[in-house]
Amino acid sequence: MIRISSQQIFQGGVNRLQDLNSGLQKTQEQVSTGKRVNNPSDDPVAAARILKLNQEVAQTEQFQRNVDLAENRLQQEESTLASINDVLQRVRELTVQAGSGALSSDDRQSLASELRQRLDQMASLANTRDASGEYIFSGFKGGTEAFTQNISGNWVYQGDEGQRLLEVDSGVSVAISDNGKKIFTDVASDKPAFFTEASPTNTSQPPARISTGMVLDQEVFNQVHPDDLVVQVDQTAGTFSVVRRSDGADFTPDDNTYASGKSLKAAGIQFEITDAVDGDRFLIKTSEKQSLFATVEKLIYGLENQAKTPAVATLPGGSFSPEPDDSLTINGVTFGGLTDLAALRDAISASNDSALDGVTAEVDPSGNLIVTSQSGDLAFEADNGGSVGGQIVVSGAKFEDLDLLNEPVSATVGSGQQAFNELIAGSLTNLDNGLDSILKTQTEIGGRLNSVESTGKFLEDSSVFTKGIRSQLQDVDYAEAISRLSFQSFVLEAAQQSFARVSQISLFDRL
């Protein structure tokens, strides 16, 4: 016989009520949270899988945020490049307009004024910032302005060549930036070009400046490229020197007088140096590439400084005493048997050679022969025929005059019209190259945006699929849970009533 004490009866009832109440609370928690598995003990296997799925969902959501960031960055860059493209199209229109022969000097100054505004506008766009305040074209140096003006007022690149990448899926990264050096600076030039800069060790105050300059004679300048030149000023003596940077070879012109702001000509180029003192140095760097900013700056320089004048050469009468075998070649046409300047004048006037189209000759009251070309440069070359005597001199050359008895025996007399036309033609080519560079980058950005968009759609589908599996494991079936909750409530209520009845029964009632 087993004896059951009253205490055991009470304890068993309480335990049963606690179990029923625990089950009811669990069901209530499932209904209130909407989750079948709220604790690992609810379903250890499902809990482990849910944890892994949660990690996958969190990672997918991070990738989706990266996709949104990448889209925003790329769309901002694409929009900025489109705006810069519009500015360059206007610059190109102004360049074509500047090439018109009907424009006056004041008209060209007006075009230069608008070009300066367009240049500043382009610089402002190139220094665009993203939502976090970083410059989008500075590479990895997002806190540094992409383009700033140096001492001479020329726009130079200050960023690096970095390209930022952002992971948009496992093992999948996309470039979200392009550095300004690649887009705006490393632009192919139609011909070897140069850019100028002042040495940081210069002592002048205010700091000495060197203008952007322009090429006057491409053939002469090509003999310098790819070496650089160093210009040094002796302000006290009023002179300047030009040497090749690599070996110190002297390129100083015969006319090497210096004055602040005076146009200096050497090695086929022209530039100005302002406010220099003794020992100030300036670097002329040659390159096969030219930044879009330099292209516009040189165009402005040409509009403001290059007069559209004919080429005018002078053969001094007092220095003209050729021998019978001496000859003079003008634009490839050779004249021999030179007896006097009047005969040479008549020979030039009588020539029907197309190389002398637009070339006229006259003897002035002082007895000098003046040769003028309205169509382009005048190229002279003298030959003494092997004799010792005889002298032919041509003055007015761009860089060095011709002297039959002294070097050099050839010279080019520059036409402002030709130099200006070459500047316009070169600027148009360089602007087209710059537009091509921007278009290429825009094409790359379009491809990246397509990739990001397709990745975003994949991530969205993947997220839906992963969340669906997680829902099957984790989410509660409300119909089943509510039915179970009602049943458990009924059982608990019945147990409570039964326990209350039983707890009132006592052996003393049978005595």
Side-chain angles (χ1 to χ4, degrees):
M1 177 181 293
I2 299 176
R3 293 184 179 182
I4 301 177
S5 66
S6 297
Q7 183 180 359
Q8 288 178 309
I9 293 174
F10 275 92
Q11 187 64 45
V14 170
N15 291 340
R16 175 58 179 165
L17 290 175
Q18 289 177 338
D19 290 341
L20 291 173
N21 188 60
S22 176
L24 179 63
Q25 289 179 344
K26 181 177 179 181
T27 303
Q28 287 177 330
E29 183 182 14
Q30 290 176 339
V31 172
S32 63
T33 61
K35 297 180 179 179
R36 183 181 67 87
V37 180
N38 288 290
N39 300 293
S41 59
D42 295 340
D43 189 337
V45 175
R49 294 190 62 189
I50 290 170
L51 179 61
K52 183 176 181 180
L53 290 171
N54 284 338
Q55 293 173 345
E56 292 181 5
V57 169
Q59 185 181 50
T60 300
E61 290 175 346
Q62 179 61 57
F63 285 144
Q64 287 177 317
R65 288 192 292 271
N66 289 354
V67 164
D68 293 338
L69 174 60
E71 285 184 338
N72 292 336
R73 283 292 299 264
L74 291 173
Q75 287 171 354
Q76 182 182 23
E77 182 180 350
E78 185 179 45
S79 175
T80 303
L81 290 178
S83 298
I84 294 176
N85 185 81
D86 292 340
V87 174
L88 286 177
Q89 290 291 353
R90 176 55 182 166
V91 170
R92 196 182 191 286
E93 292 174 5
L94 294 173
T95 305
V96 173
Q97 186 177 348
S100 172
L103 296 182
S104 65
S105 176
D106 290 340
D107 293 333
R108 292 194 293 274
Q109 294 296 324
S110 297
L111 291 177
S113 178
E114 181 175 349
L115 284 170
R116 286 192 181 280
Q117 294 177 2
R118 297 297 179 178
L119 182 64
D120 292 341
Q121 183 181 3
M122 186 167 67
S124 177
L125 289 169
N127 285 328
T128 297
R129 301 190 189 196
D130 62 14
S132 61
E134 294 194 330
Y135 296 93
I136 65 175
F137 293 116
S138 291
F140 293 142
K141 299 171 68 174
T144 302
E145 279 189 294
F147 289 91
T148 59
Q149 288 179 293
N150 61 16
I151 293 174
S152 299
N154 300 323
W155 290 99
V156 293
Y157 183 63
Q158 298 297 315
D160 57 27
E161 299 183 43
Q163 185 176 48
R164 300 192 178 194
L165 302 177
L166 188 63
E167 190 175 14
V168 295
D169 198 0
S170 297
V172 179
S173 297
V174 64
I176 61 171
S177 71
D178 296 277
N179 64 77
K181 184 175 186 299
K182 182 190 77 169
I183 304 174
F184 308 114
T185 302
D186 290 343
V187 178
S189 177
D190 67 325
K191 297 174 183 177
F194 73 95
F195 60 94
T196 59
E197 63 180 40
S199 171
T201 61
N202 288 348
T203 59
S204 52
Q205 290 296 331
R209 305 180 305 278
I210 181 170
S211 65
T212 185
M214 65 178 287
V215 174
L216 292 180
D217 193 319
Q218 192 68 48
E219 291 185 4
V220 174
F221 178 70
N222 289 348
Q223 297 173 9
V224 176
H225 176 77
D227 285 310
D228 299 334
L229 298 174
V230 177
V231 182
Q232 184 164 325
V233 171
D234 186 339
Q235 193 270 339
T236 301
T239 60
F240 71 96
S241 62
V242 182
V243 298
R244 189 160 55 197
R245 189 182 187 185
S246 60
D247 57 9
D250 190 14
F251 280 81
T252 304
D254 290 342
D255 180 10
N256 69 328
T257 57
Y258 167 76
S260 179
K262 174 190 175 183
S263 291
L264 310 179
K265 300 177 181 180
I269 63 175
Q270 173 180 301
F271 53 91
E272 291 78 32
I273 294 176
T274 307
D275 297 332
V277 298
D278 290 348
D280 278 359
R281 294 160 60 90
F282 305 86
L283 191 60
I284 297 174
K285 295 183 177 180
T286 65
S287 175
E288 293 182 355
K289 297 179 180 180
Q290 182 168 281
S291 77
L292 282 171
F293 293 94
T295 294
V296 181
E297 288 165 348
K298 289 185 180 296
L299 178 59
I300 294 172
Y301 176 90
L303 289 170
E304 294 177 339
N305 295 276
Q306 182 58 55
K308 298 174 69 173
T309 55
V312 180
T314 301
L315 282 74
S319 302
F320 189 79
S321 57
E323 298 289 339
D325 56 352
D326 292 342
S327 64
L328 180 67
T329 300
I330 305 176
N331 288 2
V333 181
T334 301
F335 300 92
L338 306 175
T339 57
D340 56 37
L341 290 176
L344 178 58
R345 174 200 61 191
D346 295 340
I348 294 173
S349 300
S351 175
N352 293 321
D353 197 299
S354 60
L356 296 179
D357 288 346
V359 177
T360 59
E362 62 178 354
V363 177
D364 67 10
S366 300
N368 302 316
L369 178 65
I370 309 299
V371 182
T372 304
S373 172
Q374 299 291 341
S375 58
D377 289 353
L378 283 169
F380 292 88
E381 185 175 350
D383 187 355
N384 63 9
S387 62
V388 177
Q391 185 174 16
I392 299 175
V393 175
V394 178
S395 62
K398 289 181 181 178
F399 305 105
E400 293 184 88
D401 293 338
L402 178 151
D403 189 336
L404 180 60
L405 296 182
N406 302 285
E407 295 292 344
V409 294
S410 64
T412 299
V413 178
S415 161
Q417 180 68 50
Q418 178 170 323
F420 190 83
N421 290 343
E422 290 177 353
L423 173 67
I424 296 298
S427 297
L428 288 173
T429 300
N430 292 339
L431 286 171
D432 288 340
N433 291 341
L435 288 168
D436 288 342
S437 174
I438 291 176
L439 178 60
K440 179 182 177 182
T441 305
Q442 287 178 307
T443 302
E444 293 175 355
I445 292 174
R448 293 179 214 156
L449 279 171
N450 289 337
S451 175
V452 169
E453 183 180 355
S454 60
T455 300
K457 290 181 179 179
F458 169 77
L459 291 173
E460 185 177 351
D461 294 341
S462 177
S463 178
V464 171
F465 177 74
T466 303
K467 289 179 179 178
I469 297 176
R470 184 182 64 177
S471 177
Q472 294 176 5
L473 294 171
Q474 179 176 263
D475 294 347
V476 69
D477 182 345
Y478 276 101
E480 185 274 333
I482 293 174
S483 176
R484 177 158 37 90
L485 179 63
S486 299
F487 175 74
Q488 289 175 330
S489 298
F490 170 75
V491 172
L492 178 59
E493 184 179 354
Q496 289 173 337
Q497 292 177 356
S498 175
F499 178 73
R501 296 284 299 272
V502 171
S503 63
Q504 294 177 1
I505 299 175
S506 172
L507 291 177
F508 291 101
D509 295 333
R510 305 301 181 189
L511 297 178

